[in-house]
Amino acid sequence: MRASNFSISDTLCAGILAVCVAAPASAQDFSISSERLANIEEPLATEIAGVTIEAAGVVDARLDYDLEGMFDDEDVIDPGVIGNFSVNASTQLGNRWDVGVAYFGQYENGLGVSGYTDNIAGFISGAYGTVLAGEVMNLVREETRRVRGIGNADLRFDDALGAAQNWGGGYVGQFGPSRLSALVDEDGNYDVGFVYERPSGKAGYRYAARFTDAPFVAADGITQFDSNALTGTFEYMYSRSILNVGAGYELLQAGPIDAQRWFVSGGWQRQWGAFTTSVEGHFGEIEGQAEKSGAFGLSYGFARGLSLNLGVNHSDAQVEVGGVQILDEAETSATTSVRFGF
């Protein structure tokens, strides 16, 4: 049988744009992973001895093309595969609280990366929300972010640079059209978010705001900044289209270095029958030095869970402040893949 609307992996919007732009009212609907690939299908579910077990997965076979390397006589094509799965088990206590464990794992091989990563968290849900403990560092980000691009689109820098680390505790609660989220990790870093969503005739809109106090390791791999960031997003949905915009301000501090960062991102998505497309752009500055990125995504659904995907992504940011290389990235690439979700 198919389960209800609980998934710990990220929600991908292809084919169901109007559904996935915001978290539903269920207190158990949360994400502990920030991976871009996810199953758009509802998870499979079964019940064993009073415990509901839900599972879903994705396999993505891909080819990555280094578009800049084409002009430098370099090896520009890199095959790879990404596979992930989510499993959660929960049961209801006599007081009607739901108690369970959520797990997300992903294996990736390609572009010089080969390995397995995972996240796990336990949770207790009731009428006033869900309390979590475990690897919940992505909880608030996934609640408040702009909807991601389609297919293999990957817009770089579209977030605060600082991020919570390691294990911690979190909370998610739904109160009418408003949704609250918060987390604190074991080092005292914290993240809080607020989302407000309402329909408006045949359309709908969604506001989100987030404040982050967390560390950021610069591109030099050594210098660690303390980050304080305020970000916000707005999304407007009509028929099969989504327009969205995000903006943020961030203060980075490390010893005598104080660097101010601001950014603006925007995107448009549209479903055309079996095709879904997205276009996104980002511009920001750190102490007057620019960071830029863009992404185009396309997905074509062959059958339930099976799709052909394309992404063209560009990023450019070389930022140095006080002798520290904060960002160092310049890349233009394209990715095609066949994806199957189950």
Side-chain angles (χ1 to χ4, degrees), residues 305-330:
L306 181 64
S307 62
L308 176 65
N309 300 276
L310 170 68
V312 179
N313 303 293
H314 172 75
S315 59
D316 184 9
Q318 290 84 39
V319 177
E320 181 178 329
V321 178
V324 175
Q325 193 74 40
I326 297 179
L327 296 177
D328 184 12
E329 185 172 323

Side-chain angles (χ1 to χ4, degrees), residues 12-13 17 29 40 45-46 48-49 61 65 79 83 97 99 115 118 144 149 151 227 257 262 268 280 282 294 298 342:
L12 187 66
C13 297
L17 294 179
D29 185 7
I40 66 174
T46 188
I48 302 176
Y65 307 86
W97 287 1
V99 178
D118 60 1
T144 58
S227 165
I257 302 175
W262 64 266
W268 171 77
E280 303 170 275
H282 169 97
L298 173 67
F342 55 91

